[in-house]
Amino acid sequence: MAGGLLLSGAIAALLTSALPAPSPSSGFVDPPPDKIVIKVATVNGSGCPKGTAAVAVSEDNTAFTVTYSDYLAQAGGGSDPTASRRNCQLSLIVHVPQGFTYAIASADYRGFAALQRGASGSQRASYYFQGSPSTVSKNHPFSGPYDDNWQATDETDWAQLVYAPCGAQRNFNINTELRVNAGTQSADKVSFMTMDSTDGDISTVYHMAWKECPES
């Protein structure tokens, strides 16, 4: 996908209504009223080769959506050994109004899995700001037999949120991954996981939390 894809302006928050209301003592504030612009610097990885992933914002500017058409990991049978792991990294440039900073509070993923008896799979995501040593990682395991849609939600406790540095422009990186292990019980049969759904697309939604930066 070409770098620098402009997603949208005027995003007050991503699914703000899905976030719990901040308590008076929490220190969190409402999303800033001014424009928030999200730009995709790069999209790359074995799970999202060029032309197989699209990024957009919903018409009401409340949801950040990534649509995949070739995000599949598989193992067993005659599968290529390298096909057991697939990943996709998004590098985002987020412009927020002066005086505010943000963190990703939660993310929703869904897809389809067909895991034979004894096989296993996992969906994993890591979140970090460019140049920051702090990385938040979440992992969701699945065990066979399994033949159904799957859904996973990454949530971060409010006290553990990692905010973008105030007064500095840092790319925000999201690296997702699918892994499949055929096991030994049914290794002659193919097991797989996709980051999509039965209707061919997936809505990966990122929820933002906001706070004001200290005055310089």
Side-chain angles (χ1 to χ4, degrees):
M1 176 174 295
L5 173 64
L6 182 64
L7 295 183
S8 176
I11 305 177
L14 303 183
L15 285 190
T16 305
S17 60
L19 293 174
S23 65
S25 62
S26 70
F28 298 107
V29 298
D30 291 332
D34 298 333
K35 280 188 176 182
I36 301 159
V37 179
I38 297 179
K39 198 174 183 181
V40 177
T42 58
V43 179
N44 58 62
S46 56
C48 53
K50 186 176 180 180
T52 67
V55 186
V57 169
S58 61
E59 291 183 2
D60 59 1
N61 288 330
T62 61
F64 175 90
T65 303
V66 184
T67 302
Y68 302 101
S69 63
D70 193 26
Y71 202 154
L72 179 147
Q74 68 178 53
S79 301
D80 186 328
T82 63
S84 63
R85 176 186 178 274
R86 290 288 184 260
N87 82 297
C88 183
Q89 177 156 311
L90 303 175
S91 183
L92 306 178
I93 302 171
V94 182
H95 296 279
V96 299
Q98 185 175 1
F100 283 86
T101 185
Y102 71 96
I104 298 298
S106 65
D108 301 317
Y109 301 93
R110 62 187 175 93
F112 184 83
L115 303 174
Q116 303 292 337
R117 186 174 301 277
S120 61
S122 64
Q123 183 272 329
R124 179 181 175 87
S126 299
Y127 311 88
Y128 62 97
F129 290 98
Q130 180 184 23
S132 172
S134 299
T135 300
V136 177
S137 298
K138 304 289 184 178
N139 186 67
H140 301 275
F142 298 86
S143 299
Y146 192 104
D147 188 14
D148 204 349
N149 295 316
W150 61 266
Q151 183 166 339
T153 298
D154 294 345
E155 293 183 321
T156 303
D157 293 337
W158 293 113
Q160 303 300 318
L161 291 175
V162 178
Y163 283 88
C166 288
Q169 183 63 61
R170 302 282 181 85
N171 285 16
F172 183 65
N173 299 307
I174 304 168
N175 190 23
T176 59
E177 177 184 294
L178 292 178
R179 285 182 182 265
V180 175
N181 187 327
T184 58
Q185 192 170 348
S186 302
D188 59 330
K189 299 178 181 178
V190 174
S191 292
F192 69 88
M193 285 186 69
T194 67
M195 185 87 83
D196 62 7
S197 69
T198 52
D199 59 5
D201 49 13
I202 172 177
S203 295
T204 301
V205 182
Y206 300 95
H207 310 279
M208 283 181 167
W210 297 93
K211 72 174 182 180
E212 291 185 81
C213 291
E215 294 185 7
S216 57

